[in-house]
Amino acid sequence: MPEGDSVHRLAARLRQVDGSLVVVGELRGGAAAGRALSGRRVTGHATHGKHLLTRFDDGTTLHTHMRMQGSWTVTAAGRRLPSTVARQARVRLGLEDGRTVWGVDLPVVDLVDTADEHLVVGHLGPDLLHDDVDLAEAERRMTAEPGIPVRTVLLDQRRVAGLGNLWANELGFVRGLHPDRPIGTVDVPALLTTARRMLRHSAIVPEAYQVTTGVLRRGERHWVVGRAGRPCLRCGTAVRARDDVEVVGSPPRRVWWCPRCQPAH
């Protein structure tokens, strides 16, 4: 699943079309499916957590979320998507210079007034990738229920936005926190500082994308993620793993931790 750094990089890539006029295009998914987008000029791209906001000059915003399967691509003038991919397109923006922006297999597609963006992202916690992030508010939200496990808190987008399963696992290792440790026993300001530094590094440095160990060799890019049964890169203890269902009705997500570096509290 794309995480906050993934969407941050996506927005940076899509800014190549900022200022472009949409000459043909439409929404093919969501409540506004069938709505034409021609005549609008793209004014910018913004993010909040895992959410992408594409803004137009008529005061509207296209709000999308990729979840597990969505993607975006830009085709050059005269080029087309393979027909099997094009059939899954939920957004098409044909630009004046011949390029086309495609939002493929997007499960969330909303067209809202830019002034009403809060209706689609207002429920989210502070975004660690925003320059003006309110870390005090993030701490307040994260510590509101001190008995909740730290992993659950990190994954709750209403408390802090942009951290997904990879980051929840890797941050737990870096801070020496067992995934079941109550958030009320954690140094939350230090955790937020580490999370922000790692997420920003991943979002901005090209070769550092979701590399948490600083090592680019295959199998050594993450401290614990994907290393079940293998030696911990720090202490040599076998990394453990399990599947957790954080939200009833949602698919389980994999949890990894080193029992020595992240002892039970």
Side-chain angles (χ1 to χ4, degrees):
M1 175 187 291
E3 309 205 12
D5 52 339
S6 312
V7 181
H8 184 90
R9 283 176 173 255
L10 170 63
R13 180 164 59 86
L14 290 177
R15 289 189 184 108
Q16 65 180 289
V17 306
D18 286 1
S20 298
L21 179 69
V22 180
V23 294
V24 61
E26 68 285 320
L27 301 181
R28 302 178 179 181
R35 179 79 62 87
L37 297 175
S38 56
R40 306 171 198 234
R41 191 173 296 275
V42 181
T43 60
H45 287 82
T47 66
H48 195 114
K50 305 175 186 182
H51 298 248
L52 178 68
L53 301 169
T54 302
R55 294 168 178 153
F56 300 104
D57 65 348
D58 66 343
T60 60
T61 294
L62 175 62
H63 162 246
T64 57
H65 194 303
M66 293 184 287
R67 291 188 180 162
M68 294 294 288
Q69 74 272 18
S71 64
W72 287 85
T73 190
V74 181
T75 53
R79 302 294 297 271
R80 302 184 65 178
L81 287 181
S83 58
T84 54
V85 178
R87 283 196 291 269
Q88 299 180 64
R90 299 295 177 264
V91 176
R92 181 177 68 120
L93 305 176
L95 307 179
E96 56 189 329
D97 62 3
R99 290 178 297 170
T100 303
V101 183
W102 303 87
V104 179
D105 203 14
L106 300 172
V108 176
V109 179
D110 299 311
L111 190 65
V112 300
D113 290 338
T114 301
D116 291 336
E117 287 180 358
H118 63 279
L119 297 178
V120 290
V121 298
H123 64 288
L124 301 170
D127 186 330
L128 294 176
L129 288 174
H130 286 181
D131 291 337
D132 61 350
V133 58
D134 188 343
L135 293 178
E137 174 62 13
E139 180 185 357
R140 184 191 71 78
R141 292 183 181 219
M142 290 176 68
T143 57
E145 298 176 83
I148 294 179
V150 59
R151 168 182 164 78
T152 302
V153 170
L154 289 173
L155 290 173
D156 188 343
Q157 302 299 298
R158 298 167 301 175
R159 300 176 190 270
V160 62
L163 298 173
N165 199 44
L166 181 142
W167 287 109
N169 282 285
E170 293 295 288
L171 281 166
F173 177 86
V174 170
R175 295 299 308 175
L177 303 172
H178 190 280
D180 298 330
R181 181 167 172 172
I183 191 66
T185 68
V186 172
D187 183 345
V188 174
L191 175 61
L192 282 169
T193 297
T194 301
R196 186 166 192 255
R197 181 176 64 248
M198 294 180 69
L199 200 63
R200 286 178 65 86
H201 188 67
S202 176
I204 296 170
V205 180
E207 65 274 13
Y209 175 59
Q210 295 190 347
V211 176
T212 58
T213 62
V215 178
L216 298 180
R217 288 189 297 272
R218 185 176 179 180
E220 297 182 24
R221 298 185 178 191
H222 302 139
W223 290 108
V224 290
V225 169
R227 295 186 58 83
R230 300 173 63 188
C232 171
L233 292 171
R234 178 180 291 165
C235 74
T237 303
V239 173
R240 295 183 183 175
R242 70 174 190 241
D243 290 328
D244 273 2
V245 176
E246 282 93 10
V247 179
V248 176
S250 297
R253 287 191 276 195
R254 196 73 162 160
V255 187
W256 294 269
W257 75 98
C258 171
R260 183 174 182 183
C261 296
Q262 301 166 258
H265 182 65

